[in-house]
Amino acid sequence: MTERARVVDTHHHFWTAEHAAGNFPAPRYAPLHRDATPEQLEHNLRVSGVGASVVVQTANTLDHTRALLRIHAEHDFVAGVCGWLPLHDPDATRQALAELGHPTALRGVRHLARHHSLTTPEPDPTSRAGLDALQVLADHDLSYDLVCVSAEELRAAAALAAERPQLRLVLDHLGRPPADTGAWEPWASAIAEVAAQPNTTLKVSAGVHLLSAWNRWAPPALAPYVEHVRHLFGADRLMMASNWPVTRLVARYGDIATGVRGLFADWTPSERVAVEGATAERVYRLARRA
């Protein structure tokens, strides 16, 4: 590598207060019920030493994907978009890509199964149509982000990775380890099944279930889980992520970024380069911007 990898935050969102309130209705999510803008994050990235980011969808609509692509065009720090496409059918997936103009900024796709559009059929990755739609992503060099909330879903992700070895699968938020209780199984065994598939990558971050369970930011509680996945995946299949602005539930962006990067403090220099940026550059195919 002739150019040192940037530090890349591989998972954050942008939304309006109205959108947040519609997706996070419980009183404990009140800190999320305000705008999360590119301008806010750009300042936070700069003061935290993070050079680029990947914005991830929070609505299952093409209009939302278009909005994220516009943000990418207007803000150089956004290196890539993980948007949404209709994955219930391969023809619908191809048509949506054509409607978007096959944008190079679109580097990945995610579908929120628990917050899906009422007008959009739910994709079934285990069906023939679902598998063929995911093959369309692979054919267009797009990754597929997954939010797994149980050991059963982790094992299903491992099976999916085996079924579609050309597809890059990215699992969000460490595959939801039980760090709020300190438990270990069945997460530890299930995440090992995911790691056994070489086309899988894992984001080192805390999901909303964990952040809403905590009353403060506690990265040491993540340390044993991070060491487990370091052993299973290796640093070249791990990516640091913030999950901002969901992290507003417990801390400011700078504290989150410092805490996550602190989990890698004892890793080798090459491991830190990988997890803090080089893996993201490779997996999301991020292009350098002026």
Side-chain angles (χ1 to χ4, degrees):
M1 180 178 295
T2 59
E3 187 175 16
R4 191 187 188 282
R6 299 169 289 185
V7 176
V8 181
D9 179 347
T10 61
H11 197 101
H12 67 80
H13 313 291
F14 297 127
W15 60 50
T16 63
E18 181 180 11
H19 175 84
N23 284 280
F24 300 101
R28 68 180 182 276
Y29 296 129
L32 306 184
H33 296 177
R34 53 193 171 108
D35 291 354
T37 68
E39 292 74 20
Q40 293 167 350
L41 182 61
E42 185 171 18
H43 170 75
N44 287 326
L45 295 178
R46 185 169 61 251
V47 300
S48 302
V50 179
S53 72
V54 176
V55 61
V56 179
Q57 62 87 230
T58 55
N60 296 341
T61 69
L62 277 183
D63 282 345
H64 180 56
T65 302
R66 291 187 183 97
L68 296 182
L69 291 170
R70 287 194 296 270
I71 289 174
H72 171 274
E74 296 166 358
H75 296 274
D76 287 345
F77 73 89
V78 180
V81 172
C82 181
W84 178 87
L85 294 176
L87 298 176
H88 61 280
D89 174 79
D91 290 336
T93 306
R94 293 188 191 94
Q95 181 179 346
L97 281 169
E99 289 178 10
L100 293 171
H102 300 278
T104 57
L106 185 66
R107 304 314 309 140
V109 174
R110 187 176 80 155
H111 179 95
L112 283 176
R114 294 158 192 84
H115 300 279
H116 62 275
S117 166
L118 296 178
T119 61
T120 304
E122 187 79 10
D124 178 4
T126 65
S127 70
R128 176 50 52 189
L131 288 170
D132 289 347
L134 292 176
Q135 186 61 46
V136 173
L137 299 189
D139 293 343
H140 285 83
D141 204 21
L142 297 171
S143 64
Y144 181 45
D145 267 49
L146 279 171
V147 181
C148 296
V149 302
S150 67
E152 290 75 19
E153 291 187 6
L154 287 173
R155 294 188 176 100
L160 175 60
E163 182 72 21
R164 282 291 178 264
Q166 306 92 346
L167 179 66
R168 299 189 305 279
L169 261 68
V170 179
L171 270 69
D172 297 344
H173 312 317
L174 286 169
R176 196 173 181 174
D180 51 333
T181 64
W184 193 248
E185 294 291 358
W187 170 84
S189 297
I191 201 69
E193 294 184 31
V194 175
Q197 301 302 321
N199 54 327
T200 59
T201 308
L202 191 67
K203 290 183 181 179
V204 179
S205 56
V208 65
H209 77 288
L210 185 57
L211 295 170
S212 61
W214 285 349
N215 57 19
R216 62 182 179 84
W217 175 224
L222 291 175
Y225 306 99
V226 172
E227 281 301 304
H228 184 58
V229 298
R230 177 193 184 189
H231 171 71
L232 292 172
F233 287 83
D236 61 351
R237 289 168 58 205
L238 297 175
M239 301 187 288
M240 66 162 280
S242 69
N243 199 19
W244 183 89
V246 180
T247 49
R248 285 173 169 170
L249 291 168
V250 294
R252 299 174 299 176
Y253 181 90
D255 296 328
I256 298 295
T258 299
V260 172
R261 295 179 73 182
L263 293 166
F264 319 130
D266 295 332
W267 294 21
T268 68
S270 62
E271 284 180 311
R272 291 198 302 273
V273 167
V275 70
E276 292 183 357
T279 302
E281 303 271 8
R282 186 187 75 253
V283 171
Y284 279 122
R285 307 293 201 258
L286 302 180
R288 295 270 173 170
R289 305 182 69 183

